[in-house]
Amino acid sequence: MAEQSVPGSDEPNEPLLRLQHGAKTFGPVVALADGTVELRAGEIHALVGENGAGKSTLVKILAGLYHPDAGDFQVAGRPVAFRSVADSKAAGISVIYQEPTLFPDLTVAENIFIGRQPRGALGLISRKAMRSAARELFDQLGVPIDPDRIAEGLSIADQQIIEIAKALSLDARVLIMDEPTAALSGVEVERLFAVARSLRDRGAGILFISHRFDEVFALTDRITVMRDGRYIATHDTASVRVEQIVREMVGRDIDQLFPKEEAVIGNAMLRVKGLARAGVFSGIDLEVRTGEIVALAGLVGAGRTEVARAVFGIDPYDEGTVELAGRRLKPGDPQAAIDAGAGFVPEDRRKQGLVMDLSVARNLTLTLRNSLARFGLIDARREQRTAAEWSKRLQVKTGSQEYAVSTLSGGNQQKVVLAKWLATEPKLLIVDEPTRGIDVGTKSDVHRLLSDLAGRGIAILMISSELPEVLGMADRVLVMHEGRITAELSREDATPESVMHAATASMEGAK
Amino acid sequence: AGGGDDGGGGSGAEGEQTITFIPKQLNNPYTDVVLGGGEEGAEAAGFASSQVVGPLDASASSQVSFINAETQAGTNVIVIAANDPDAVCSALEEARTGGAKIVAFDSDTNPDCRDVFISQVVAKDVALIQVELIAEQIGGSGEIAILSATANATNQNEWIKYMEEELASNPEYADIELVAKVYGDDDDTKSFQEAQGLMQAYPNLKGIISPTTVGIAATARYLSTSEYKGKVALTGLGLPNEMRPFVKDGTVTEFALWDPAQLGYVAAFAGKALADGDITGEVGDTFEAGELGEREIGDGGIVIVGPPTVFNADNIDDYDF
Amino acid sequence: MTTTETRPPSAAQPEAKRNSPLSAVLRARELPVALALVILVTVTAIANPLFLSPQGVKDLLLNATIIVILAVGQAIVIITRNVDLSVGSILGLVAFMTGSLFANVEGIPIPVVFLAGLALGAVLGAINGLLVTLAKVPALVITLGTLYIYRGVNNAWAGGTQYFAGDRPDAFGALSVDTFLGFPVITLLALVVVVVVGVFLAGARSGRDLYAIGSDPEAARVFGLPVGRRVFLAFVTNGLLAGLAGVLYASRFNSVGATTGSGMELDVVAAAVVGGVAIFGGSGSVFGAAIGAILLTTITSALTALRVDKFWQQAIVGVLILAAIIIDRIASVRTARKLRISEARDV
Amino acid sequence: MSDPVKTAPVPERVDGTTVLEAEPKGRTGWARVLLGRDAVMIYALIVVIVIAMIAVPRFASPVTTGFLLLDVIPVLLIAMPMTLVIITGEIDLSVASIAGLTSAIMGVLWQAGFDIGIVLVISVLAGVVAGAVNGFLVAVVGLPSLAVTIGTLALFRGLALVVIGDNAVANFPPELTAFFTSKLGATGIPTVMVGVVVVILFFGVLLHLTPFGRGLYALGYSQEAARFVGIKVARAKLWLFVGTGTVSALAGVYWTLRYSSARSDNASGLELAVIAAVLLGGVSIFGGKGSIPGVVAAVLLIGVINYALRLGRVSDVVLIIVTGSLLIASVVAPSVFGAISKWRHDRRVHRELPQATTSGAASA
Ligand SMILES: Nc1ncnc2c1ncn2[C@@H]1O[C@H](COP(=O)(O)OP(=O)(O)OP(=O)(O)O)[C@@H](O)[C@H]1O
Ligand SMILES: Nc1ncnc2c1ncn2[C@@H]1O[C@H](COP(=O)(O)OP(=O)(O)OP(=O)(O)O)[C@@H](O)[C@H]1O
Ligand SMILES: [Mg+2]
Ligand SMILES: [Mg+2]
């Protein structure tokens, strides 16, 4: 449906924006060696590439956040050199960054309009006008978010939606979206796409970054591929196949995407009974056996993360029990869970999974700090060795073990998170959106790894909003809706339809 | 153990003698007048060099490190106004072991730790004169309060003790009631607010005694800017230069003080006599204090400088300190 | 409240409740402090009627004036997730300069002295602001440094010199004595400062920027807000207000010298915090800070008026500060819980 | 860091991340230690000592060591737990008030005729309790420590006043007060330094060599991430505040016996001196960064400058200005160096990149 009219695609019009041979280095790391992209008016243009390919870096150059070390940058045919984000905004470029950047203390409406709030008498801000403008935006996106609520405590999905509303409200000529759908569920994604298409039809240019090929092919007109900081190729979406894009991205063929292998499923490792927390979830019963991958599916906001946090002891709960390997876990005590053999890969790796300012090595050994100690003192040599070993096992790409983990790309960061839990040799691994924002190559690595772990008898509880991942990986699927488990589906019964039905509709899906 | 390695040989050595003044606190107007006299005295007495060192805040222990440095520098005479009579003691002992002579002035240290104390006036006289002044100003009856410096200032506390005794024992003052003692910590703002608080807490207050120059000035400032001006009497110890406007505008009728410069002046000569070995600090020892003539060491090793002067609108313009 | 056609009714309800002006007042962070102030004054006045005599009220207002101005300035800085510990030293330097100008420049007009004081304060604030924004260094460290440096300069300049009320023209001193409609003149000045700054922070775009910056400085930079410029201006404004406070100090109190204003910084920060300004930026208001300042100065006067043992006074002030923070915390936890439960219903 | 291909202008490492060849790599091993922040602090300390020995007569003497150390002990003591507290991103402004409260309690108990041993135990326990109060409010209730400890700064000092009022107690056992100013033989080193060194080692080992210390750094950067690896954030903070309370009490005891004077205003204003020293020692006020050796060097640096100036009879005015400037310089300097090296980096990259881009285009 996207291909009917691509105005300007065959006219020699100046593109809205063009970057050629853009380069950016951070200390010794070359984040972008040869970034090239061209965005025309009235097109949606995908930018794809593996984790660390330099997509976000390129976006930040276009946004004026980074000054490129080299490169030729034109907006509407004129060369520009943005000195700040304000410059790029003035040039009609609006950006949704990969990581939501909201102001937690401000209201939702103010977050959208900060710096350009509607004004009333005496040049003072009119809150009323601002509120109704925000409502209009949310109506357009079809989401019920209270504009007067403060942003603190919003789920990542809601934050992402606000970012989208913010970018839309700017009414920009160029809209850049760096993985806007990573946190969103199917319905919300559809709404976003509808909005994006209408913007395109009004002549805006949209640069869209995503690791999900179905989205890329459903939405975009052209695709630019990057690898290792370099421009590889640009294709018309209509005339290219997924396999080719993947090959260009990773430089090799990717085998099956979801390779969950059969494993011997043993006794119950995790047993949760009647878990409840007022206003969040209730009546949660679940069981994960050794060698089994149980997926917790549902729409964003269904309460899956909250259940996992409660199980692991991060959050308290009001009722119920959690048993691991037959022993009851003390509520609200993650260390007890860890000691009992649990590991938790959280959904927000920047804030929860990693200590961004600490080095790769320190992050890797953080979970092992007690076992690395001899007579109460840490054995520094062993610490180094362990870190090096695990970062090699998971093929973490980094200049040095001593670099801050914040300098790694998203996918590599996620590997560090996984590595630090695998190093504890867990019996139960809870993974919350393990492949959010991860490229195909790494993604299949992660899947292979999870399957491998299950094969070795580890029980895995996986929360995922990606249906293919759920269906491909899980031995059993539990579906949550509004804080309750509404269906339990075996591998055979789990189909996109049955899962979505249980996730959206209600109790009927439980049968 | 481990005193100054070259601090010895102070006593008796002619010519190259040094003196250092350590006031309660630097950058305080009253102190500056005292030190002015001290430096003049030190020169007149024949010291080779005189120094002023000291803390910027009047806290109990901050003087110790200065004493230590002087000990090590081999200073012959240390003249000190103690913020705390005991806190400086062990440091002074160490200085004495190293050969230094210790003269306390303005505010005494523990008598064991110094050779001689130069006192402004007889403590009791100062107390009595202030009680006398306030009694006169409030007409011999009513509630009064005291606004002092810090709660553990040695000299003020001694005066207050005498005032309380006098008020209790002298039948002339039977109708005067001391209702409160408050402390402004020799801080302008704090004293100001303490004065204010007194007015509110004691609506029938007739007069205030403030035996400290900072306190009396701050109180005078508050009274002169409030409705209590002229209704509540104020006296105590103050610097004429600071009090002049308040005397002229009628907030204060009379207050007292000795000549602070003389204090420093006499201290310098006492130090010289000690360093030369002319006196040892025994009761009855006498020494020549330059143009102020001969002084005698009294009971407790104390030298009295002179009687306090009472200042009022008639004579205040004759003084400049 | 009528724009909710497309929204589920359950979502509209709690919102309508939340938006009414009365509930806005009831939810304000300033409310507990304001309430505490009213109770304090009432109780004290019942026990000691003199507390609310014209002179008593005037004293209360005058005591609060200078610290209110400082707290307003401090609130601006704290809202941007910074802090200025050098205000006591700035106040001291400006107060001394004021004294020195009157004493040394024959017949200098009072407005000129005010301008000079404001200018010096602004310059000292600008030094803080420059160091913080250019070197991108935590404000607490920088202003702890300038606290020492400014105080050192003050000491070096003043030495033992002090200037007294008598050295200044009567009209200048009268500013903190005379009243207009029962309010001391300088208190009215402070009131104007509070209102102007308060309206600016709440209603101007650049004022809201300060909240955004304090809420998440990195996000503000990514979003393209002029972070450096705004933070710099916050420091300059704070310096300016500290300068104003310095001039007023010289008008109200007797002597200005080397140690004027020392140790004031923590009281000022305490006032802002008691008034509900979050120490890590992003929320709070200057009205709250002002009320916090009034509360802290009034408590001292009240305890004296109630003849509470003076040794207990400081301990009680400490308890009060803690109580204020704890109440604020309880209030915000309760809102968070309400939000969680109401939102669960909304889905 | 293996196989940098010497021939290619932009070598590709095994792991696929490209690295500029000419760029100096992150320092490793000894170079990092010798050029690190702590080392710079120690060099500065040595330089200042040497200058003082040359410029200030009599500075080079064991007497100096004694007096100097006696002066810095309170700051040195409290700076140790304070370093840990600030590394976790918190702060404790009430330390000086706790020292004052301890002193007041000592005075009153001694006056009341209790045995000196009991007096000491109760006084230190008071510090433990005071620290626990701070810790409870910060760690358990979850209040911001800056605000809480401004409150307890007033509260504890106020309690000191309540306890001892305007009295001063001075008649502590002379043997004890003499012990607190005594020196170790001819070295000039105060005997109590033995205890101080124990405290320094305790906190140094705790921070740098134990799992608990590892956790503190993580905690300082990100509490949430720390919680996810099982670090007991609340408990760790509670203990640290108990630590500052306890050590502040020890400092209070030292203060009381060194000056043989127990009063309510002892050690007042010391909190800012401690914090200034800790920050000068390279601890980041935002948490996550800092070390005990750096802080010890910084405390000694300020102490040496202080004492040298006093010996040279330079006014304290200069000292405050120097302290303030040092503090600012210590935090501004890294930014300046950072800016310079970034500028140099940019220039180098600009020289190199045209090459890099061409080769990149060829491979695409
Ligand atoms: N601030 C930085 N400092 C150092 N290195 C950086 C920095 N930002 C990015 N890099 C490095 O640059 C490379 C490109 O990163 P970038 O974030 O642009 O990748 P990406 O294509 O957006 O990946 P993802 O799909 O995981 O988001 C990575 O190797 C990353 O480690
Ligand atoms: N920190 C928080 N404070 C308040 N409410 C929250 C918080 N985090 C999540 N919520 C709310 O709790 C509900 C459940 O969120 P949760 O993150 O558990 O959902 P989820 O199913 O895991 O979704 P996701 O796909 O985002 O992981 C949502 O309504 C969300 O808005
Ligand atoms: Mg990216
Ligand atoms: Mg989730």
Side-chain angles (χ1 to χ4, degrees):
Chain A
M1 63 183 295
E3 293 88 39
Q4 11 163 281
S5 78
V6 185
S9 67
D10 42 13
E11 293 155 26
N13 264 355
E14 281 298 345
L16 283 176
L17 171 157
R18 176 197 280 143
L19 176 72
Q20 279 171 310
H21 311 307
K24 179 75 191 170
T25 59
F26 296 98
V29 178
V30 181
L32 189 64
D34 174 18
T36 294
V37 73
E38 183 197 87
L39 183 66
R40 298 178 191 152
E43 78 162 337
I44 302 181
H45 192 128
L47 189 60
V48 298
E50 277 193 285
N51 293 125
K55 305 178 296 291
S56 297
T57 307
L58 188 146
V59 165
K60 286 175 183 165
I61 289 175
L62 301 183
L65 201 58
Y66 290 163
H67 310 300
D69 297 328
D72 177 25
F73 186 12
Q74 297 186 347
V75 172
R78 252 169 305 154
V80 291
F82 293 152
R83 300 202 51 76
S84 70
V85 177
D87 291 350
S88 81
K89 265 193 201 146
I93 299 175
S94 152
V95 184
I96 300 168
Y97 296 98
Q98 187 167 1
E99 317 285 0
T101 49
L102 296 183
F103 304 111
D105 297 300
L106 301 192
T107 64
V108 165
E110 193 139 36
N111 259 295
I112 296 174
F113 293 105
I114 185 80
R116 49 196 178 83
Q117 297 94 331
R119 285 192 281 209
L122 297 168
L124 295 178
I125 294 167
S126 158
R127 287 181 187 266
K128 213 168 140 200
M130 190 160 75
R131 191 177 305 136
S132 59
R135 280 225 178 98
E136 243 162 65
L137 284 167
F138 289 140
D139 289 346
Q140 198 183 339
L141 289 168
V143 284
I145 298 180
D146 175 5
D148 289 321
R149 174 197 204 285
I150 56 166
E152 168 117 57
L154 283 170
S155 65
I156 295 199
D158 285 350
Q159 292 181 36
Q160 195 64 268
I161 288 167
I162 292 165
E163 288 288 350
I164 292 168
K166 182 156 81 178
L168 290 182
S169 73
L170 280 165
D171 217 3
R173 297 278 297 145
V174 175
L175 178 60
I176 302 175
M177 305 194 279
D178 194 351
E179 302 193 26
T181 56
L184 301 188
S185 65
V187 188
E188 288 151 335
V189 170
E190 265 318 309
R191 291 237 176 76
L192 174 64
F193 285 5
V195 173
R197 290 186 185 112
S198 87
L199 284 177
R200 171 190 61 191
D201 296 343
R202 278 186 264 151
I206 298 175
L207 189 65
F208 177 78
I209 298 177
S210 172
H211 289 295
R212 299 182 184 168
F213 290 116
D214 51 341
E215 294 175 4
V216 168
F217 278 85
L219 182 67
T220 66
D221 305 309
R222 293 197 298 161
I223 303 175
T224 291
V225 184
M226 292 180 68
R227 182 171 78 228
D228 294 339
R230 289 164 197 289
Y231 170 81
I232 303 294
T234 300
H235 306 278
D236 279 333
T237 310
S239 61
V240 73
R241 293 173 56 82
V242 181
E243 291 72 25
Q244 187 186 347
I245 301 282
V246 170
R247 209 175 307 120
E248 286 177 351
M249 275 172 61
V250 297
R252 66 191 152 97
D253 286 311
I254 293 279
D255 32 352
Q256 218 218 318
L257 275 180
F258 303 106
K260 159 70 176 161
E261 287 151 21
E262 287 305 318
V264 186
I265 292 175
N267 297 328
M269 178 56 74
L270 174 71
R271 193 175 274 145
V272 176
K273 278 203 201 107
L275 208 63
R277 183 170 183 213
V280 185
F281 54 78
S282 61
I284 303 292
D285 294 310
L286 63 84
E287 214 176 78
V288 185
R289 283 167 280 180
T290 57
E292 187 183 34
I293 298 183
V294 173
L296 208 48
L299 297 185
V300 164
R304 297 162 298 166
T305 299
E306 306 274 336
V307 169
R309 288 169 61 105
V311 167
F312 192 67
I314 301 287
D315 290 343
Y317 46 84
D318 305 329
E319 283 168 36
T321 58
V322 177
E323 263 176 37
L324 183 58
R327 268 193 304 159
R328 210 171 140 179
L329 289 186
K330 200 170 143 209
D333 185 352
Q335 186 64 52
I338 295 171
D339 291 343
F344 188 7
V345 176
E347 63 178 336
D348 185 344
R349 64 177 162 264
R350 225 165 48 121
K351 291 213 181 90
Q352 305 167 335
L354 295 166
V355 183
M356 295 304 274
D357 296 298
L358 279 185
S359 71
V360 174
R362 282 286 176 90
N363 266 291
L364 277 171
T365 54
L366 213 46
T367 48
L368 297 173
R369 61 194 191 289
N370 289 321
S371 55
L372 283 173
R374 210 168 275 166
F375 308 117
L377 302 185
I378 289 205
D379 179 344
R381 192 103 42 85
R382 223 171 95 203
E383 185 183 23
Q384 284 297 330
R385 231 180 315 121
T386 314
E389 180 194 323
W390 279 100
S391 100
K392 207 165 116 211
R393 272 208 215 172
L394 289 191
Q395 296 169 352
V396 176
K397 290 183 195 175
T398 169
S400 155
Q401 294 288 314
E402 297 306 316
Y403 286 176
V405 79
S406 58
T407 63
L408 303 191
S409 78
N412 280 302
Q413 289 176 358
Q414 189 72 337
K415 285 185 184 172
V416 175
V417 183
L418 278 163
K420 78 173 182 186
W421 286 114
L422 296 185
T424 65
E425 295 172 357
K427 296 184 199 141
L428 166 76
L429 196 59
I430 304 173
V431 290
D432 193 355
E433 309 286 2
T435 60
R436 171 177 294 170
I438 287 189
D439 67 67
V440 271
T442 317
K443 200 171 195 168
S444 72
D445 284 354
V446 169
H447 289 149
R448 196 171 299 120
L449 196 72
L450 290 177
S451 155
D452 202 47
L453 293 171
R456 279 191 272 141
I458 294 178
I460 295 177
L461 180 63
M462 177 179 84
I463 298 172
S464 172
S465 302
E466 273 188 66
L467 262 185
E469 183 167 271
V470 169
L471 301 178
M473 294 294 297
D475 294 304
R476 230 161 7 107
V477 181
L478 300 176
V479 188
M480 279 189 72
H481 176 65
E482 290 192 359
R484 297 179 166 277
I485 295 184
T486 51
E488 176 169 349
L489 304 165
S490 66
R491 194 182 176 95
E492 295 73 42
D493 296 342
T495 61
E497 293 73 29
S498 63
V499 174
M500 282 322 284
H501 186 64
T504 48
S506 54
M507 307 311 233
E508 298 97 63
K511 295 290 133 61
Chain B
D5 47 345
D6 44 3
S11 53
E14 290 301 313
E16 288 304 290
Q17 286 176 340
T18 56
I19 183 169
T20 297
F21 294 87
I22 307 181
K24 284 184 163 185
Q25 171 186 24
L26 291 181
N27 298 348
N28 167 308
Y30 170 78
T31 303
D32 279 7
V33 181
V34 176
L35 292 175
E39 304 228 294
E40 192 189 323
E43 204 186 318
F47 280 100
S49 91
S50 78
Q51 300 281 344
V52 175
V53 299
L56 296 172
D57 62 319
S59 78
S61 43
S62 51
Q63 290 174 315
V64 168
S65 141
F66 290 93
I67 301 169
N68 288 344
E70 289 310 315
T71 308
Q72 202 183 342
T75 305
N76 302 86
V77 178
I78 296 174
V79 184
I80 184 165
N83 281 325
D84 180 310
D86 299 294
V88 291
C89 238
S90 68
L92 289 177
E93 281 299 339
E94 222 164 332
R96 283 169 113 182
T97 320
K101 300 294 175 197
I102 310 298
V103 179
F105 74 148
D106 189 27
S107 176
D108 201 1
T109 70
N110 190 323
D112 300 338
C113 325
R114 44 87 175 153
D115 294 300
V116 55
F117 172 50
I118 314 297
S119 177
Q120 300 70 14
V121 271
V122 179
K124 195 160 181 183
D125 291 356
V126 185
L128 296 193
I129 201 164
Q130 293 178 68
V131 175
E132 221 168 89
L133 287 173
I134 200 76
E136 196 177 306
Q137 291 173 17
I138 64 173
S141 74
E143 293 182 357
I144 63 165
I146 294 175
L147 192 155
S148 182
T150 62
N152 14 27
T154 329
N155 38 359
Q156 269 90 5
N157 283 350
E158 192 177 9
W159 299 329
I160 292 173
K161 191 185 73 195
Y162 283 123
M163 287 182 206
E164 286 174 327
E165 279 173 16
E166 180 70 8
L167 288 170
S169 60
N170 192 332
E172 261 184 58
Y173 303 139
D175 293 337
I176 299 181
E177 190 193 356
L178 176 61
V179 291
K181 284 179 290 179
V182 296
Y183 302 91
D185 293 348
D186 265 356
D187 173 89
D188 193 47
T189 322
K190 179 104 198 300
S191 307
F192 189 94
Q193 270 153 9
E194 288 295 344
Q196 204 179 77
L198 280 176
M199 297 303 151
Q200 257 172 19
Y202 304 95
N204 301 323
L205 200 67
K206 297 284 285 295
I208 297 175
I209 300 176
S210 183
T212 160
T213 58
V214 177
I216 193 174
T219 308
R221 171 73 185 153
Y222 174 68
L223 292 180
S224 77
T225 61
S226 75
E227 63 184 22
Y228 306 111
K229 175 175 166 180
K231 294 185 189 141
V232 175
L234 171 66
T235 189
L237 305 176
L239 286 167
N241 283 351
E242 241 180 292
M243 297 302 290
R244 194 166 290 120
F246 304 117
V247 172
K248 299 235 157 125
D249 77 3
T251 310
V252 175
T253 43
E254 277 189 318
F255 65 97
L257 198 69
W258 48 89
D259 182 345
Q262 291 185 0
L263 197 59
Y265 191 82
V266 174
F269 276 93
K272 180 68 178 162
L274 282 165
D276 289 344
D278 295 346
I279 59 170
T280 59
E282 289 299 308
V283 177
D285 278 356
T286 59
F287 62 96
E288 203 62 39
E291 57 197 34
L292 293 181
E294 192 185 80
R295 298 286 155 150
E296 185 181 338
I297 300 179
D299 275 346
I302 297 176
V303 178
I304 302 295
V305 172
T309 311
V310 172
F311 304 94
N312 53 36
D314 299 333
N315 70 353
I316 194 162
D317 285 333
D318 303 340
Y319 299 89
D320 183 24
F321 60 84
Chain C
M1 266 140 264
T2 48
T3 60
T4 49
E5 324 84 50
T6 58
R7 304 165 60 76
S10 64
Q13 214 126 42
E15 212 177 301
K17 237 187 307 175
R18 251 176 267 156
N19 288 346
S20 86
L22 180 68
S23 74
V25 169
L26 287 177
R27 278 182 307 126
R29 296 175 71 117
E30 294 82 3
L31 187 72
V33 212
L35 220 60
L37 181 62
V38 171
I39 293 170
L40 177 72
V41 171
T42 317
V43 169
T44 314
I46 290 170
N48 180 352
L50 216 58
F51 191 64
L52 286 187
S53 69
Q55 178 66 39
V57 171
K58 187 176 147 192
D59 284 344
L60 282 183
L61 292 173
L62 281 171
N63 287 347
T65 298
I66 287 171
I67 194 117
V68 160
I69 294 176
L70 290 173
V72 166
Q74 191 68 247
I76 302 175
V77 174
I78 294 183
I79 282 170
T80 66
R81 199 181 283 192
N82 284 290
V83 69
D84 189 346
L85 294 180
S86 70
V87 284
S89 300
I90 296 181
L91 179 139
L93 257 178
V94 173
F96 185 76
M97 184 188 72
T98 306
S100 158
L101 280 178
F102 280 124
N104 298 319
V105 184
E106 204 57 40
I108 185 168
I110 293 174
V112 172
V113 173
F114 265 92
L115 285 181
L118 291 175
L120 179 61
V123 167
L124 297 176
I127 295 175
N128 287 335
L130 271 183
L131 285 168
V132 170
T133 53
L134 281 190
K136 302 200 174 55
V137 169
L140 193 134
V141 189
I142 290 291
T143 57
L144 184 56
T146 52
L147 171 149
Y148 284 118
I149 295 177
Y150 296 165
R151 179 61 61 196
V153 170
N154 194 352
N155 267 293
W157 182 12
T161 313
Q162 289 193 339
Y163 294 108
F164 303 107
D167 302 333
R168 301 187 275 275
D170 291 340
F172 182 67
L175 286 178
S176 46
V177 180
D178 294 348
T179 57
F180 178 76
L181 300 176
F183 287 95
V185 177
I186 64 169
T187 305
L188 290 175
L189 198 62
L191 194 67
V192 171
V193 166
V194 173
V195 170
V196 168
V197 176
V199 169
F200 169 79
L201 283 183
R205 284 181 183 170
S206 37
R208 300 309 298 172
D209 285 357
L210 297 181
Y211 284 90
I213 292 165
S215 196
D216 188 341
E218 183 51 29
R221 199 180 63 83
V222 168
F223 186 70
L225 296 180
V227 177
R229 220 164 50 219
R230 295 276 185 273
V231 170
F232 176 74
L233 277 177
F235 274 98
V236 172
T237 312
N238 182 38
L240 194 91
L241 292 178
L244 176 64
V247 178
L248 297 184
Y249 185 98
S251 151
R252 171 139 170 83
F253 293 103
N254 182 43
S255 69
V256 291
T259 55
T260 301
S262 56
M264 228 170 196
E265 53 281 342
L266 292 185
D267 294 343
V268 175
V269 176
V273 167
V274 165
V277 177
I279 198 82
F280 291 123
S283 68
S285 74
V286 294
F287 302 108
I291 299 173
I294 297 173
L295 181 62
L296 283 190
T297 49
T298 305
I299 186 96
T300 318
S301 309
L303 292 175
T304 313
L306 292 174
R307 299 195 195 177
V308 171
D309 180 358
K310 79 183 179 61
F311 295 136
W312 278 95
Q313 289 186 6
Q314 195 172 2
I316 291 174
V317 169
V319 169
L320 180 83
I321 296 175
L322 292 177
I325 319 168
I326 293 172
I327 289 171
D328 191 49
R329 169 74 182 181
I330 292 172
S332 78
V333 164
R334 192 170 306 151
T335 338
R337 182 172 313 142
K338 260 196 228 136
L339 214 54
R340 201 179 73 199
I341 290 174
S342 79
E343 218 144 273
R345 258 189 277 114
D346 286 359
V347 174
Chain D
M1 307 219 99
S2 53
D3 81 9
V5 186
K6 286 280 180 290
T7 44
V10 181
E12 192 147 332
R13 269 200 311 267
V14 265
D15 58 19
T17 311
T18 42
V19 171
L20 278 182
E21 199 185 4
E23 188 68 23
K25 308 262 177 354
R27 296 189 203 104
T28 47
W30 281 107
R32 235 192 29 227
V33 175
L34 291 178
L35 295 171
R37 179 77 164 65
D38 296 351
V40 171
M41 215 58 229
I42 293 169
Y43 302 148
L45 175 60
I46 295 172
V47 169
V48 168
I49 291 177
V50 170
I51 294 178
M53 284 164 112
I54 296 168
V56 183
R58 295 192 191 80
F59 184 83
S61 121
V63 185
T64 304
T65 326
F67 287 151
L68 195 157
L69 288 176
L70 283 176
D71 279 354
V72 301
I73 282 174
V75 173
L76 191 55
L77 277 175
I78 302 177
M80 294 303 106
M82 184 71 89
T83 301
L84 274 61
V85 166
I86 297 184
I87 281 177
T88 61
E90 303 290 344
I91 198 162
D92 188 348
L93 292 173
S94 70
V95 286
S97 297
I98 294 179
L101 177 57
T102 315
S103 182
I105 290 175
M106 267 180 86
V108 167
L109 292 181
W110 175 246
Q111 191 86 314
F114 284 91
D115 177 71
I116 190 70
I118 294 176
V119 171
L120 291 179
V121 168
I122 295 182
S123 311
V124 174
L125 277 180
V128 174
V129 171
V133 169
N134 282 331
F136 175 79
L137 291 174
V138 172
V140 181
V141 185
L143 302 172
S145 55
L146 189 62
V148 166
T149 57
I150 284 181
T152 51
L153 169 124
L155 175 61
F156 296 148
R157 186 66 71 187
L159 288 180
L161 267 169
V162 171
V163 168
I164 198 169
D166 49 11
N167 301 319
V169 176
N171 58 342
F172 291 99
E175 315 87 65
L176 202 59
T177 56
F179 170 79
F180 271 78
T181 48
S182 66
K183 315 281 155 54
L184 284 171
T187 57
I189 296 173
T191 317
V192 281
M193 267 313 280
V194 176
V196 176
V197 168
V198 170
V199 171
I200 294 175
L201 286 179
F202 174 79
F203 284 100
V205 168
L206 186 66
L207 177 63
H208 295 293
L209 299 176
T210 66
F212 181 77
R214 282 286 192 281
L216 295 186
Y217 283 104
L219 180 53
Y221 278 124
S222 168
Q223 297 204 22
E224 205 175 351
R227 247 151 56 81
F228 274 88
V229 291
I231 292 166
K232 298 196 165 101
V233 175
R235 194 180 298 179
K237 286 190 177 169
L238 180 65
W239 278 116
L240 289 185
F241 278 97
V242 170
T244 47
T246 311
V247 176
S248 302
L250 292 178
V253 168
Y254 167 80
W255 195 288
T256 311
L257 292 178
R258 180 196 173 192
Y259 299 116
S260 80
S261 168
R263 11 192 309 166
S264 61
D265 65 346
N266 270 352
S268 63
L270 199 69
E271 62 277 344
L272 291 188
V274 171
I275 288 165
V278 170
L279 297 180
L280 180 62
V283 178
S284 159
I285 193 78
F286 295 141
K289 265 197 222 82
S291 80
I292 292 288
V295 171
V296 171
V299 173
L300 293 179
L301 179 68
I302 296 181
V304 168
I305 295 178
N306 191 344
Y307 197 75
L309 290 176
R310 280 206 182 145
L311 211 50
R313 296 205 182 97
V314 179
S315 160
D316 269 19
V317 172
V318 176
L319 178 72
I320 12 185
I321 297 183
V322 168
T323 308
S325 309
L326 263 182
L327 188 58
I328 290 180
S330 76
V331 287
V332 170
S335 307
V336 173
F337 292 139
I340 292 174
S341 79
K342 184 171 181 306
W343 175 76
R344 290 216 321 247
H345 166 83
D346 285 353
R347 257 190 359 172
R348 185 171 28 236
V349 166
H350 281 274
R351 273 200 314 271
E352 251 169 52
L353 267 175
Q355 248 180 325
T357 3
T358 8
S359 83
S363 81

